Amino acid sequence: MSYNFNWKIMLSGEPAHWMWEGFVTTLQIASISLVCSMLLGIIICVFRMTPFRLLQWFSLAYTEFFRNTPLLVQIFFWYNASHFVIPASINKWMNALYHWFPGPFTLFGHEFAGQWMLFNVEFITGVIALTVYTSAFIAEEIRSGIFSIPKTQLEASRSVGLSFIQAYRYVILPQALRIVVPPLISQSLNLIKNSSLCMVIGVTELMFMASQVESYYGAPFEAFSAALLIYLVISLFVSFCINMYNKHFLIQVSY
């Protein structure tokens, strides 16, 4: 059976518009989730290192649960349980924000629909799922970086009058974050690639749009090849930027 390749279909018209919209949504959900997972991962890591047993048990249960359950299952859980897990006031606020957001607008010559990406339940559910899943891995990466720092650093910080939180904020965490830059790059790239799973709940990201092109125009090879190349470019760009930042702005710490 022969297959007629038609690469021009991906360069104009609806397919190009859909792929661009999916690309923008992928960048949005990945960037927001990455920032949130970094902040949450640091908090969970600090909880794990505190002398308080309750916080230690909570952080241990958090990391073990989310690291050892499939992300796809977690996405479906958050999507179906959002009305039960997320407080009713927040759900009401999200619905009000969705209906308030302005109508269609144009960006780079492409028109985007109203009630756009950031303010729908599917998008927010995807952000929550990606954040809690990735933050569990980031917390463990940062914890491993903390363990590589001599304990005398913390003892010296406490001896000069810093509290536990201040010692971690000003002394321990800055050094640990420099050490764990390479594994954090891997987690960032994994998050970008994992964002493709959000298509199962209706988030109009890159894979969702590629599937739409395949369904409407019968061009599966062209659509998914384009998606593959876009993911590759995003991942290489992120890796390059972080490596350059690590090389030129961060001083390597060794003991």
Side-chain angles (χ1 to χ4, degrees), residues 100-255:
W100 171 84
F101 197 73
F105 63 94
T106 301
L107 180 65
F108 297 112
H110 296 287
E111 185 178 279
F112 291 86
Q115 288 80 45
W116 194 46
M117 308 160 189
L118 293 178
F119 303 109
N120 58 61
V121 174
E122 291 80 10
F123 187 94
I124 296 175
T125 300
V127 169
I128 293 173
L130 291 171
T131 296
V132 295
Y133 180 79
T134 309
S135 64
F137 289 91
I138 289 177
E140 288 300 295
E141 300 289 359
I142 297 175
R143 192 166 73 97
S144 66
I146 291 175
F147 282 147
S148 66
I149 299 173
K151 293 183 178 179
T152 52
Q153 295 273 349
L154 179 60
E155 295 171 357
S157 302
R158 299 301 301 275
S159 67
V160 297
L162 296 179
S163 66
F164 178 85
I165 298 297
Q166 289 174 329
Y168 266 80
R169 178 183 176 183
Y170 296 112
V171 180
I172 304 300
L173 282 178
Q175 297 180 76
L177 290 175
R178 291 171 181 172
I179 294 172
V180 299
V181 164
L184 288 182
I185 294 175
S186 298
Q187 294 302 331
S188 301
L189 298 180
N190 287 335
L191 188 149
I192 293 172
K193 292 178 284 187
N194 287 336
S195 66
S196 62
L197 294 175
C198 293
M199 67 170 292
V200 299
I201 57 173
V203 178
T204 56
E205 46 73 55
L206 192 57
M207 276 299 297
F208 183 96
M209 292 304 186
S211 299
Q212 187 163 280
V213 172
E214 185 269 335
S215 298
Y216 280 80
Y217 290 89
F221 189 85
E222 294 87 342
F224 292 112
S225 295
L228 182 69
L229 290 175
I230 292 173
Y231 277 117
L232 178 62
V233 170
I234 294 174
S235 297
L236 291 177
F237 178 75
V238 171
S239 180
F240 174 79
C241 290
I242 299 179
N243 279 319
M244 288 298 100
Y245 177 78
N246 184 34
K247 180 179 179 180
H248 294 288
F249 296 99
L250 293 182
I251 300 174
Q252 297 299 321
V253 181
S254 59
Y255 298 102

